[in-house]
Every structure is written in C-alpha cells, then in structure tokens.
Amino acid sequence: MLFERPAGKDVPLAVDLLASRRRYALALGVEPAELAAEWNRRTKDLLPPVLVENGMCQQNVSVGDQVDLTELPVPIWNALDGGPYLTLGCHISKDLDSQVRNVGIYRNQVHDRNTLGVLVEPYGHLRHQWSKRPNEPFPVVIVLGADPVVPMAAVAPVPYGRDELAVAGALRGQPIELVRCLTVPLEVPAAAEIVIEGEILLNDLRDEGPFGEFTGYYGGHRAARPIIRVKAITHRDRPILHAVYEGTPPSGSAAIVAVPREAELLRQISLPGVRRAHMSLGGGALHAVLSVDKPYEGFGKYVGLAVLGSTAGRSIKQVTVVDDDIDPADPIQVEWAIATRVQPHRDIEILGELPGIILDPSLPRGEQKPPLTSKMIIDATRYDVKDFAPVCLPSAEAMAKVERDWSRYGIALPGR
C-alpha cells in the first residue's frame, strides 16, 4: 500500500513492499520456488560495500535543532501500541573495538522531535556491540527505504561478524554504495530514502512499549529502555517512508523474515538428505518444517537438533520434520503427516532451558529475561518405512489418462 499524503503529511508512506514471496522474488529477479537456493548461491561469496563521495540520501539535511521526527508519517499500527513506531528501520552500527559492522531491524518508538525508543533483545548483535562500552554514547544510524536487499540481509540470521551489507551486495550482484554520515562515524547506503543519525544512550531510559509484534500479541511490555538521541536526519528529494505491518499472522514481516531463515537453515545445517525448509505462516520465526529423504531411523530428530543448534534456528521453538513426499509449505500435508506418522511417545522430544525470544507470549513475564524456553522436535517421518502402510492414490495409468483427456471434460482450471 502506498499512502500519498498520510495524515496530511508531505512524505508518502509505503507499507509491506516485501510482504509476499512473489514480491520478494520479484525484488531478486527469480521465481518464488527458487528463493532459498538462489539466496545460498548468491551469498556463497560476499560482495563488500564500496564508499562513494555523494549520495541521494543526503540531498536534504536537518541537524541539531532542525531535527523533527514528527514530520515523518509514522503510524500507530495497533490499538494498544505505546505510540507511533518505525517498523522497518535498518540499524547500522559497528563494534567500537573491531569495527565489525552489523545491520539489524529493531522497532523504534517515536518519543518526540529528536528521541526514539529502541527494543534490542539480549541476544541481539547490536546489544553485543554496545555492551563493550556501556557508559559511552553508542553511534547508530537508521536507514529507511534502501534497496530491498538491505532489509532482506538485515533480518537474515547470519553469524556475528558477517557483514550484512556484504550479504546485500551479494544478493544484488554488485556492491552496495555507501556514503559517510554527517554526525556519526558510520556509513549508509547512498541511495536510501531517509537516514536517521544518532547515538544510543544506555543510561538515559524512557518508557517504551507495548507494541503489537509479529507473534500476533503485544510484546515487550511497557518498560524503561534506552533511547536514541537523533543528531541528524537526511533524505532524498521527495522521500518515501518504508514500513512493514506487524501483527496477527499472516503479517507483512512474515516473508521478509522467512525466506532468509529458510535459506540459512539449509546452508548452516548442511546435512545430506535435507531437501527443503519452510517457516510456517502461522508460526512465524517460531516454527520450522523441514522435509528430508530419511536414510535411517532417528534422522528426523537428528535434523531437529541440528536446526535448534544453528544460528538460524536460535529463535525457533518447534521443529517438524517430514518425509520428502510432504510439501513443508502445505499445512494440510504437514498436519496429515503429524496425525498419521507420529507416535507421541516415540517421535516427540521436548528439550528444556534453551534460548528463546523475549517476544514469545507463552513465557510468563518473570521468565522473559533471560528468555529460556522449552523446545519441541516432532519427527513426522514414517517409522520403518518399508513396512509402513502405502499411501492411497489412483493408479498412475488413471492419472495419466485424466491428464491426457482433460480438454474433453470442460472443466476450467487456472493456467489451463
């Protein structure tokens, strides 16, 4: 959706540009079925960004007292949100010692003209960086409306130290061009729509939240959290504010998060026999379904453990493993496999005291910090497949005849 004059403001608002696998694939120039394989093919060799002298993101500059976040059309997305929120801000930062760059997406509540709230999970790479110098202002820049590959890479569950802007360059097939910021020692994509430069002040807390999260519940209850003091806002001529809707699934963030996580799961676990990975539409980042060609009994649980032990699987709470005759993206087929191929006492494993996410509403509030949770592996593959009841289908000859004679039946189907 493109809102040309939201709330009468001059800056248009674009929401959910990547909120379907079809549009996600369009941004990469591939077919939806090719997304995971193409992600891994392109990111096998990273393309580091390059520095340029000038960028469109700095065609207009506001610094100091000129800064006014309230000029941006930032919505209140859900009824009980604590205020207006930026939802697709790519936070660029650097480890102050190693200079390792990180890009991640975090929610930002607009407190006033020059102050943003931020919620960063205990396991967030941004928190890992700022914790090294907790008594100093920490430089950060928020990019809104960059090349779609930048938010794609920002939410990818890549290991710490892997430069997400180099991942973005690999996805695009050419290095991302960066320009130096004006008030903080960082660099930003030169073609971005809007850039917010600032410093995170860990000792200056302000109540932030609640906010309607991807889980479909309000997450991160109202609490005192660090602020970002904005030092400058720069933008292109006629900028467009990019955002994504968070809320009850299926929400706009589902495809953005799912595609890189599926690709990274396949890359990081790299077990022979693993065919596909799918983050379920209802479960968001909490439920992964993998299809496998099972070489031996116990392989399903082995795959589940590998998923939970990977960087890409850290937030996953439930792993369902199915045979390769099951489409992991089809919830009916997955439910059928669970209902007919699972003996609960044999095929379900529950593991306790593992890292979870603070936004999981099933955790009692007292258990949300640190976020330790139990996790479940469901091995929905056929046990002793040689003796397992065969799947009932019409004969191959009958199906071939139907296909061959379809034009005579007078029944229209899409694409025929």
Side-chain angles (χ1 to χ4, degrees):
M1 298 291 290
L2 176 66
F3 301 89
E4 295 183 346
R5 287 189 57 82
K9 296 184 182 295
D10 293 331
V11 178
L13 172 67
V15 182
D16 285 353
L17 294 181
L18 296 174
S20 74
R21 290 175 185 263
R22 181 180 62 82
R23 285 190 299 236
Y24 197 110
L26 183 65
L28 292 179
V30 299
E31 293 299 319
E34 302 169 350
L35 280 169
E38 187 66 13
W39 176 287
N40 285 332
R41 186 190 70 79
R42 294 189 188 187
T43 60
K44 183 178 180 180
D45 297 308
L46 302 187
L47 279 178
V50 296
L51 195 63
V52 297
E53 288 297 320
N54 301 294
M56 290 185 290
C57 69
Q58 294 177 346
Q59 289 175 327
N60 301 269
V61 176
S62 299
V63 296
D65 293 340
Q66 299 173 325
V67 167
D68 189 357
L69 292 165
T70 65
E71 292 182 352
L72 298 176
V74 185
I76 295 177
W77 298 94
N78 291 294
L80 301 181
D81 286 354
Y85 272 86
L86 297 171
T87 57
L88 199 58
C90 297
H91 293 58
I92 299 177
S93 59
K94 284 184 179 178
D95 187 299
L96 296 179
D97 296 325
S98 68
Q99 293 298 294
V100 168
R101 181 188 287 113
N102 181 70
V103 188
I105 294 181
Y106 305 94
R107 75 192 201 193
N108 297 112
Q109 182 175 349
V110 178
H111 288 312
D112 53 42
R113 292 171 58 95
N114 66 347
T115 312
L116 291 170
V118 62
L119 172 67
V120 181
E121 309 90 333
Y123 40 83
H125 291 170
L126 178 58
R127 182 180 290 270
H128 177 73
Q129 289 180 331
W130 83 39
S131 64
K132 294 185 177 182
R133 300 188 189 180
N135 298 319
E136 301 178 17
F138 185 82
V140 67
V141 60
I142 301 170
V143 176
L144 298 152
D147 183 313
V149 296
V150 175
M152 289 176 184
V155 298
V158 299
Y160 182 74
R162 189 172 168 95
D163 186 348
E164 284 87 356
L165 289 181
V167 174
L171 290 173
R172 181 53 64 216
Q174 60 187 35
I176 302 297
E177 293 187 342
L178 306 181
V179 293
R180 298 186 192 279
C181 292
L182 304 179
T183 63
V184 293
L186 296 167
E187 304 82 35
V188 293
E193 299 279 340
I194 301 169
V195 173
I196 301 173
E197 302 179 12
E199 293 176 333
I200 297 176
L201 305 178
L202 300 177
N203 296 322
D204 191 352
L205 306 180
R206 188 174 299 190
D207 280 354
E208 186 270 348
F211 177 68
E213 284 287 354
F214 74 93
T215 59
Y217 301 89
Y218 287 90
H221 59 281
R222 187 171 181 82
R225 296 190 173 96
I227 64 168
I228 299 175
R229 187 70 69 194
V230 178
K231 303 178 71 174
I233 299 177
T234 70
H235 61 82
R236 300 169 57 140
D237 292 338
R238 299 182 298 279
I240 298 174
L241 177 64
H242 288 208
V244 63
Y245 174 69
E246 301 279 3
T248 304
S251 66
S253 64
I256 301 177
V257 173
V259 171
R261 193 171 300 274
E262 292 163 1
E264 287 294 323
L265 281 173
L266 294 176
R267 185 179 68 84
Q268 292 178 25
I269 62 176
S270 64
L271 290 173
V274 177
R275 296 291 180 254
R276 292 179 59 192
H278 179 75
M279 302 303 300
S280 71
L281 195 58
L286 300 177
H287 182 200
V289 184
L290 285 89
S291 64
V292 302
D293 179 10
K294 186 172 72 172
Y296 50 81
E297 297 303 338
F299 185 72
K301 292 180 183 178
Y302 184 28
V303 170
L305 290 169
V307 168
L308 297 180
S310 68
T311 300
R314 200 210 60 76
S315 67
I316 293 172
K317 190 169 68 170
Q318 178 177 316
V319 182
T320 302
V321 183
V322 297
D323 295 298
D324 61 0
D325 67 323
I326 300 294
D327 180 358
D330 185 334
I332 293 178
Q333 291 190 39
V334 173
E335 184 179 2
W336 176 59
I338 293 173
T340 61
R341 302 182 184 186
V342 169
Q343 277 292 300
H345 74 282
R346 180 192 66 203
D347 299 319
I348 296 177
E349 295 289 340
I350 297 177
L351 310 172
E353 295 293 291
L354 292 173
I357 61 172
I358 62 173
L359 299 176
D360 182 351
S362 70
L363 288 174
R365 184 169 294 187
E367 296 180 29
Q368 289 183 329
K369 188 177 180 179
L372 295 179
T373 184
S374 56
K375 299 192 176 187
M376 179 167 59
I377 299 170
I378 301 176
D379 183 357
T381 60
R382 290 165 292 188
Y383 186 80
D384 195 7
V385 65
K386 291 181 180 179
D387 290 331
F388 205 89
V391 174
C392 53
L393 291 170
S395 70
E397 293 79 8
M399 295 299 291
K401 183 177 186 303
V402 169
E403 286 287 336
R404 188 172 58 251
D405 296 341
W406 189 264
S407 60
R408 297 197 297 108
Y409 302 148
I411 304 173
L413 285 178
R416 289 182 180 271

